[in-house]
Amino acid sequence: MQNPSPQLDNVPALDALKALRVSESRYRRLFETAQDGILLLNADTAQIEDVNPYLIDMLGYSHAEFLGKKIWEVGPFADIEQSKEMFARLQSTGYVSYDDLPLRTKAGALIAVEFVSNTYDCEGIRVIQCNIRDVTTRKHAERALTESQAHLHQLTIFLQTAREQDRTHFARELHDELGQNLTALRMDFNALAACLATTDTAIASRLATIDQMITSTVDATRLMCEELRPGMLDDLGFEAAISSHAKNFTRQFGVPCDLLLDSEDYGLDKLLSTSIFRIVQESLTNIARHARASHAMVALQDRGGDLLLTIADDGCGMSAELTGEERTFGMLGMRERVDMLGGRIAIDSANGRGTHIEVSIPKAARPTP
Ligand SMILES: Nc1ncnc2c1ncn2[C@@H]1O[C@H](COP(=O)(O)OP(=O)(O)O)[C@@H](O)[C@H]1O
Ligand SMILES: [Mg+2]
């Protein structure tokens, strides 16, 4: 039987055609305005079937220079081995991605791209879609950041070392110059006082005051020397220096301090012993100044590959922002020392719950200043 109205029967087909055109135009527009390079290949022949304007701009080759070529026949992908290997992997796994692939533009510039490609089936034809993003600027910035961090790291090591050397130098000057002058002053004073041997109580009282002042100046000088560079650290070693420091802390501030050392000789070199000593010194000073604690604890554990240093108190604790990256100099100095040694520091503290500082430092692979 004949079809009575062929035009009417074609209406759905026309609608479908129109819908297809709308869809094609919509997706072509997406393809042409995308802010990433897009490359479409035939997955069986490796021939390029389409390239979007963004990729043409990025690589400097014309549309015609891409079309119909096998991917490794076009300049930017001219590393034939790499392109063929990528293509083979795409055929077997359906997916490849690189986060830093070097490509050369037609003008000869080397650029870094992020490259993601997938294989999919399009009406029986296997297609490979490659999305290509120029990340040259980002990679340069990342490299510059890494380099600058490495420089900062070196600078920190240099500054910390220079600071320790200065402190040692000042401690020696103070001890040798001021210390010797004070000793001479005391001897002259004692000789003079003996000559005077007065019964005048006013003069005797002034002589006693001068004697007292000389004694307290000698003590203050000795204390400053110790503070600048604990002689014990050099003479008797780290373990003795840290024990003496903990005892002095208790004597001076009336806060009992447990010292738990799990070795009699940690075998630390100068950089490591000075750094750990300084961290303990700063932490105990902080406990004395800020914590209002009734008890303090310092522990050092040798855990084979690394050392675990713990300093804790049962005082008032510190506010949340101070346990983070807040730039206060005592804490900053501690963080820098730990960083310089390739270690980690964790501060656990809260109002009313005391403060617990844990530092772990690798024993090996440390930079030499
Ligand atoms: N053990 C502690 N207990 C309570 N508060 C602390 C403790 N250690 C540090 N703080 C707080 O953290 C701040 C920063 O410490 P720090 O960087 O050493 O600077 P500074 O001691 O010069 O104030 C201190 O001012 C104090 O408020
Ligand atoms: Mg401090």
Side-chain angles (χ1 to χ4, degrees):
M1 205 180 106
Q2 272 222 324
N3 191 333
S5 69
Q7 293 94 330
L8 283 181
D9 272 4
N10 279 340
V11 169
L14 285 175
D15 280 351
L17 196 62
K18 189 176 173 200
L20 203 63
R21 282 212 188 105
V22 169
S23 168
E24 155 69 11
S25 136
R26 189 180 288 163
Y27 289 103
R28 175 134 300 268
R29 192 166 162 71
L30 273 180
F31 178 75
E32 281 175 355
T33 58
Q35 295 298 297
D36 270 343
I38 303 174
L39 186 70
L40 299 174
L41 310 177
N42 181 309
D44 297 316
T45 63
Q47 278 170 319
I48 297 170
E49 299 203 322
D50 212 347
V51 198
N52 76 338
Y54 199 85
L55 191 67
I56 289 172
D57 257 14
M58 189 193 301
L59 297 177
Y61 288 84
S62 69
H63 203 252
E65 282 172 299
F66 279 109
L67 286 203
K69 303 257 175 58
K70 289 192 169 34
I71 185 164
W72 48 84
E73 290 170 350
V74 191
F77 306 98
D79 183 340
I80 294 175
E81 286 317 306
Q82 188 187 49
S83 298
K84 284 190 172 169
E85 191 254 345
M86 177 187 83
F87 188 68
R89 271 209 291 143
L90 261 168
Q91 282 191 314
S92 63
T93 65
Y95 177 82
V96 289
S97 80
Y98 301 88
D99 65 0
D100 188 1
L101 183 73
L103 292 183
R104 199 168 282 286
T105 67
K106 190 170 185 183
L110 200 60
I111 61 169
V113 301
E114 251 173 26
F115 189 98
V116 180
S117 48
N118 296 284
T119 310
Y120 61 91
D121 189 86
C122 182
E123 299 295 320
I125 300 168
R126 288 206 315 133
V127 178
I128 293 173
Q129 177 180 330
C130 309
N131 286 55
I132 302 170
R133 176 172 297 173
D134 186 347
V135 291
T136 314
T137 315
R138 199 182 83 204
K139 290 287 165 193
H140 278 157
E142 279 171 8
R143 232 160 275 145
L145 190 66
T146 311
E147 275 170 24
S148 129
Q149 275 169 343
H151 285 152
L152 268 178
H153 194 67
Q154 287 300 320
L155 187 66
T156 305
I157 295 172
F158 172 77
L159 287 177
Q160 294 282 15
T161 313
R163 199 163 156 238
E164 283 303 330
Q165 281 167 352
D166 280 352
R167 293 174 83 149
T168 310
H169 173 74
F170 288 134
R172 199 169 296 136
E173 287 286 301
L174 209 59
H175 178 268
D176 293 354
E177 285 296 317
L178 200 61
Q180 288 197 11
N181 287 351
L182 282 170
T183 309
L185 188 67
R186 156 160 285 155
M187 282 165 68
D188 282 351
F189 170 77
N190 286 346
L192 256 174
C195 288
L196 273 173
T198 173
T199 49
D200 182 328
T201 52
I203 292 179
S205 147
R206 287 191 67 182
L207 286 175
T209 310
I210 295 172
D211 188 34
Q212 186 63 42
M213 269 175 67
I214 294 174
T215 305
S216 62
T217 312
V218 168
D219 287 349
T221 310
R222 192 176 304 129
L223 223 89
M224 276 199 281
C225 286
E226 275 298 301
E227 191 66 24
L228 278 169
R229 177 77 200 169
M232 275 196 165
L233 206 49
D234 296 325
D235 304 338
L236 300 178
F238 167 80
E239 295 74 11
I242 208 137
S243 304
S244 153
H245 190 73
K247 280 191 197 120
N248 284 343
F249 167 82
T250 301
R251 194 176 322 120
Q252 203 178 344
F253 302 107
V255 179
C257 177
D258 292 333
L259 179 67
L260 312 170
L261 302 180
D262 71 352
S263 165
E264 284 178 8
D265 181 6
Y266 289 90
L268 308 180
D269 62 22
K270 196 164 176 180
L271 179 66
L272 202 45
S273 60
T274 306
S275 303
I276 295 182
F277 186 86
R278 293 295 185 208
I279 293 170
V280 172
Q281 196 177 32
E282 173 62 28
S283 303
L284 288 181
T285 305
N286 275 352
I287 294 176
R289 283 168 72 185
H290 311 294
R292 299 194 299 279
S294 57
H295 216 106
M297 190 274 289
V298 174
L300 186 64
Q301 289 167 266
D302 189 340
R303 303 203 303 183
D306 54 9
L307 293 156
L308 185 69
L309 171 68
T310 311
I311 306 123
D313 68 71
D314 61 354
C316 61
M318 56 177 111
S319 53
E321 60 273 20
L322 285 169
T323 55
E325 297 285 323
E326 187 74 6
R327 300 291 184 230
T328 53
F329 289 112
M331 299 292 207
L332 189 64
M334 280 207 265
R335 284 185 192 283
E336 278 185 350
R337 278 187 196 279
V338 175
D339 207 39
M340 162 179 115
L341 299 166
R344 282 176 295 106
I345 181 166
I347 302 174
D348 181 19
S349 183
N351 278 337
R353 277 207 300 113
T355 299
H356 187 105
I357 299 176
E358 208 168 83
V359 176
S360 89
I361 296 172
K363 277 170 38 178
R366 279 177 303 97
T368 36

